[in-house]
Amino acid sequence: MINHELKINFAEYPDITDLNKSDYALCKEAVKAMENSHSPYSKFRVGAALRLQSGKIIHGSNQENVAYPSGLCAERVALFYWGANHPDDPIEAMAVTAHTDEFEILQPVTSCGSCLQVLAEYEKKQNKPIEIILFCANGPAWVMNGVESFLPFLFFENRLIS
Ligand code: THU
């Protein structure tokens, strides 16, 4: 039996104002994206913003449904919009944030496994890692370069790609 240990790497900034200018601006876009969250069931509003190589910004927010499983996370709303509309303009970075009136969020919201798997797919497709910036209003910002440090055992099988 062999015991393996994995290390993950991410940077923590005390506040989004400590990020570089373009990442700070992207965080502000994620806050704007939250405005269109449709979350009457969880009351948990999530906003995601993508910055593309051209400088274009894409917004996504969680969209819930009375048939609960029909809803979708903010990250995948943004990522699938990118895939459908701007697939040739690589994604440089994604910023994600959340807010609820029910309690105070003190730690960045970490994207769910399904969103990370979708992110992994598009990193492979564009052959470039995507910087992930997670933050909340009264807490730090966490920055990772690429999805793999986040989801080391993501599913990928090259032989399924023709
Ligand atoms: N949600 C996201 O939008 N992104 C995540 O990474 C985790 C959760 C949404 C889904 C649902 O609308 C609400 O947050 C509560 O789970």
Side-chain angles (χ1 to χ4, degrees), residues 117 120-122 124-125 148 151-162:
Q117 183 69 40
E121 178 80 17
Y122 289 157
K124 292 270 182 200
K125 188 177 184 202
E148 228 166 303
L151 190 66
F153 287 105
L154 60 91
F155 175 73
F156 205 76
E157 173 52 71
N158 277 316
R159 287 162 298 182
L160 289 178
I161 300 172
S162 53

Side-chain angles (χ1 to χ4, degrees), residues 6-11 110-111 116 119-120 123 129-134 142-154:
L6 289 176
K7 275 192 185 164
I8 69 157
N9 222 295
F10 66 97
T110 44
S111 300
L116 295 178
L119 205 66
E123 277 192 354
I130 298 169
E131 183 187 60
I132 305 163
I133 307 157
L134 307 170
W142 291 343
V143 181
M144 290 100 187
N145 186 33
V147 69
E148 228 166 303
S149 65
F150 221 155
L151 190 66
F153 287 105
L154 60 91

Side-chain angles (χ1 to χ4, degrees), residues 39 42 44 46 62-64 72-75 109-112 115:
S39 39
S42 72
F44 193 77
V46 186
N62 55 330
Q63 301 297 319
E64 297 183 349
L72 200 62
C73 293
E75 295 92 323
V109 176
T110 44
S111 300
C112 79
C115 290

Side-chain angles (χ1 to χ4, degrees), residues 33-125:
M34 257 191 322
E35 286 171 18
N36 290 336
S37 162
H38 175 66
S39 39
Y41 309 105
S42 72
K43 298 179 172 45
F44 193 77
R45 307 171 70 78
V46 186
L50 307 180
R51 185 179 67 241
L52 310 187
Q53 198 172 281
S54 66
K56 189 175 173 56
I57 303 290
I58 288 174
H59 285 179
S61 49
N62 55 330
Q63 301 297 319
E64 297 183 349
N65 193 281
V66 65
Y68 290 7
S70 301
L72 200 62
C73 293
E75 295 92 323
R76 272 176 291 164
V77 168
L79 289 164
F80 287 147
Y81 180 90
W82 173 81
N85 296 287
H86 300 282
D88 300 322
D89 192 355
I91 305 168
E92 278 183 358
M94 176 176 80
V96 183
T97 194
H99 174 83
T100 177
D101 291 332
E102 310 290 301
F103 50 85
E104 196 181 3
I105 300 174
L106 296 167
Q107 256 199 233
V109 176
T110 44
S111 300
C112 79
S114 297
C115 290
L116 295 178
Q117 183 69 40
V118 169
L119 205 66
E121 178 80 17
Y122 289 157
E123 277 192 354
K124 292 270 182 200
K125 188 177 184 202

